[in-house]
Amino acid sequence: MASFGYIESAFKLRYMGIGLVWAWLYCSYSTSALFSERQGQSINADASWLASAAAVVIVFLIGGAVLSRIPRASSLWLPLRLGAPLLMAVGTMLSYLGVGVPMLSGAGGLLTGIGYALLSLLWAQALMALDIEELEVAIPLSSVIIVPCGVVFPHLQGPAGLMATMFLPLASGVLLLLCVRGGETRVRFEDVACKEEPFCGEPHIDEGSGGRSPIERVWRFYLLRVMLVLGVLYMSVGWLSSLAETRDGLHALIDFDVAMLLSSLASVALGVAIVFFSKKVSFSGLFRWAVPFTVATLVLREMPGLWPGFAASAISATLDSLIQVLVYLFALTLAKQGKVPAVLGVGLLNGAVQLGVLVGNIGGEACVAAGVSLTTVGLLLVCLVSFAGIVAPSGKPIEDGEQLSGTNAVERALMEGCLRLQERFSLSDRETEIAFLLAQGRSRPYIREKLFISKNTVATHIKHIYQKLDIHSKEDLIDLVTAAASQD
């Protein structure tokens, strides 16, 4: 038990419950567990899918905006947390029972779509209790849950498949409640610690309470550009999904979804790369790197043979898994920095993804029905994806990169003092940056979230600053910076 508790604390296993939501999506639409007559992709298969896809888009785009306005202490949260997994479970059952009955299967799709989007948004709120370095571990590892599901679920049929598929959102809901309870305790503890620290300063926006700050114009435009890229990328993914065989050649040959396995492992590799090889990641820049791989997928689809089809399937599944992880990391990172409420950011980005999939799926089916040349459409999509790569942001807005400049006379004076201390005591640029924030009265949690570095890194930098300046507290630093700023 002690060893499990250590592992749970280190990897935040309960916060990996978001992976159960992703696993439900995979098991419902890419295995035969729920629908025995389906052997793979169920895109455009019946009214259940179309109702679910439309509901997901609406709830992500509108629900994210609505939920971001609800205070954390509101009594509405508990019914939502209890209701979202139940909607998914009941909708799953109705979809199963409604095969051949459009009204029933459509109702099932509607409920699963609402529940899926709502549960995804609620997980965005719950994940805000984690530090950034914890998010970088928990979110990529969450996709590993799909691997055992992908091995087991294709061999389940009938009531067993139904019960197993219904179990996934219910288990995710239980973990969500545990995370929320633990997160509230953690927030209260950090609030007390903050009050005990002199000059604690402002914490980041509390996204659990809704984060009522409006999004600045520069960030609205920035998010719109990211949404455009995601929408175009997933329009291509949706188009390919609507035309693809139920299984790629290798999957049909060995009866195992190798592409799914590779995509899950790629998500873990992404998490490792972010944690160990990058000091500061521009997630929007990573979205841009998805463009050439999407183009490669579109090209490979036109090539005959076993391996081009497998490669296209593997690349598409990997991109889907990575972007799924990146959307959460990107949106929650912006939320930690106070740029956009967490549920709103996740809602907008996931809404763009799901809208792209919906348009691509319907467009692919329409092309087949109208007899349009698929090669021509593929070339058009290559052009659109290439254009998305051009307009994709490669970094954050300029105003965020100039955080050392100071926006008023007091901040400019403090910055001048820090620069003088840097020259006199050989402070590094990062140490000077942190000294400036400390001189403003910012807390360690604030600095951690503002600069997107771990708490251990913040502590190490502060220790070095104190050693170089021969001081012992934040008050000493403020006095020293103020004195340096007042020198002529």
Side-chain angles (χ1 to χ4, degrees):
M1 289 296 293
S3 60
F4 178 79
Y6 174 78
I7 294 174
E8 202 284 331
S9 176
F11 293 99
K12 306 298 177 186
L13 296 183
R14 69 181 63 182
Y15 285 91
M16 291 170 60
I18 181 62
L20 292 170
V21 183
W22 299 336
W24 174 88
L25 190 65
Y26 173 79
C27 293
S28 296
Y29 289 100
S30 298
T31 74
S32 57
L34 194 59
F35 304 103
S36 59
E37 74 280 7
R38 294 180 185 171
Q39 299 295 323
Q41 293 285 346
S42 61
I43 300 302
N44 290 342
D46 54 28
S48 174
W49 171 83
L50 187 58
S52 179
V56 163
V57 173
I58 293 171
V59 175
F60 267 131
L61 293 177
I62 298 179
V66 173
L67 292 180
S68 68
R69 307 295 298 179
I70 301 177
R72 187 179 67 188
S74 173
S75 59
L76 291 174
W77 290 113
L78 182 58
L80 290 173
R81 291 164 186 152
L82 293 173
L86 288 175
L87 285 175
M88 289 183 69
V90 172
T92 300
M93 180 176 65
L94 292 178
S95 296
Y96 172 83
L97 297 174
V99 174
V101 185
M103 289 287 291
L104 195 58
S105 63
L110 184 64
L111 292 181
T112 55
I114 295 173
Y116 174 82
L118 185 57
L119 191 55
S120 299
L121 293 172
L122 293 172
W123 267 112
Q125 182 201 52
L127 287 164
M128 282 296 291
L130 297 181
D131 294 331
I132 285 180
E133 62 269 20
E134 294 171 334
L135 288 171
E136 292 171 347
V137 173
I139 295 179
L141 282 180
S142 297
S143 62
V144 176
I145 297 174
I146 300 176
V147 176
C149 290
V151 174
V152 174
F153 275 68
H155 304 287
L156 299 176
Q157 300 290 330
L162 170 63
M163 297 303 294
T165 308
M166 290 175 61
F167 170 78
L168 295 174
L170 295 175
S172 180
V174 171
L175 292 176
L176 175 65
L177 293 174
L178 292 175
C179 291
V180 169
R181 182 178 179 182
E184 289 174 348
T185 302
R186 181 170 181 172
V187 168
R188 287 196 296 269
F189 174 79
E190 290 184 349
D191 286 345
V192 171
C194 185
K195 291 176 183 177
E196 292 176 352
E197 181 180 353
F199 302 98
C200 184
E202 307 173 18
H204 58 268
I205 291 178
D206 182 2
E207 300 305 326
S209 66
R212 301 269 181 110
S213 302
I215 306 177
E216 297 177 9
R217 179 178 300 178
V218 64
W219 285 97
R220 287 200 298 268
F221 181 65
Y222 177 71
L223 280 174
L224 284 173
R225 290 173 64 187
V226 175
M227 290 172 64
L228 175 63
V229 174
L230 289 174
V232 171
L233 289 177
Y234 270 86
M235 184 170 64
S236 301
V237 171
W239 183 76
L240 289 172
S241 296
S242 68
L243 303 177
E245 298 293 332
T246 54
R247 296 181 176 189
D248 64 71
L250 187 61
H251 187 180
L253 183 65
I254 65 174
D255 195 27
F256 181 74
D257 195 348
V258 180
M260 174 276 302
L261 176 62
L262 292 176
S263 69
S264 297
L265 294 178
S267 296
V268 178
L270 173 67
V272 172
I274 290 173
V275 172
F276 293 104
F277 300 107
S278 181
K279 297 269 185 195
K280 190 173 183 179
V281 178
S282 170
F283 293 115
S284 58
L286 294 179
F287 291 136
R288 194 172 188 173
W289 278 102
V291 170
F293 291 102
T294 304
V295 172
T297 304
L298 291 168
V299 173
L300 286 168
R301 187 205 164 278
E302 298 295 324
M303 300 174 63
L306 171 67
W307 294 108
F310 166 71
S313 178
I315 293 173
S316 179
T318 300
L319 281 177
D320 184 30
S321 183
L322 291 179
I323 292 177
Q324 197 165 234
V325 168
L326 286 172
V327 161
Y328 270 85
L329 286 175
F330 177 58
L332 296 183
T333 297
L334 291 183
K336 289 285 187 181
Q337 297 170 351
K339 304 303 181 185
V340 59
V343 290
L344 178 57
V346 169
L348 290 175
L349 297 180
N350 270 307
V353 165
Q354 298 299 331
L355 181 60
V357 171
L358 180 60
V359 171
N361 290 157
I362 295 175
E365 289 291 306
C367 289
V368 172
V372 177
S373 170
L374 299 182
T375 300
T376 301
V377 178
L379 289 174
L380 177 61
L381 287 174
V382 167
C383 295
L384 285 175
V385 170
S386 301
F387 172 75
I390 295 174
V391 302
S394 58
K396 296 181 181 180
I398 296 177
E399 63 91 19
D400 191 65
E402 298 177 346
Q403 46 187 298
L404 286 179
S405 62
T407 58
N408 55 47
V410 174
E411 290 185 0
R412 285 194 293 272
L414 291 175
M415 191 63 247
E416 183 63 31
C418 288
L419 292 174
R420 289 175 180 175
L421 293 179
Q422 179 184 28
E423 183 178 356
R424 189 184 310 167
F425 296 97
S426 301
L427 298 178
S428 67
D429 289 341
R430 179 62 94 188
E431 289 168 349
T432 305
E433 188 174 26
I434 291 175
F436 171 63
L437 293 171
L438 288 171
Q440 289 181 285
R442 302 300 190 183
S443 66
R444 294 189 183 201
Y446 179 93
I447 295 172
R448 185 171 69 241
E449 310 297 358
K450 180 71 174 177
L451 301 184
F452 192 21
I453 55 180
S454 72
K455 55 187 175 185
N456 292 331
T457 303
V458 173
T460 299
H461 281 309
I462 293 177
K463 178 182 177 182
H464 291 164
I465 292 170
Y466 285 5
Q467 288 175 343
K468 289 181 179 182
L469 301 182
D470 192 23
I471 57 178
H472 305 285
S473 68
K474 187 187 292 186
E475 295 93 325
D476 292 342
L477 174 65
I478 292 174
D479 291 341
L480 197 59
V481 171
T482 302
S486 62
Q487 293 176 356
D488 294 330

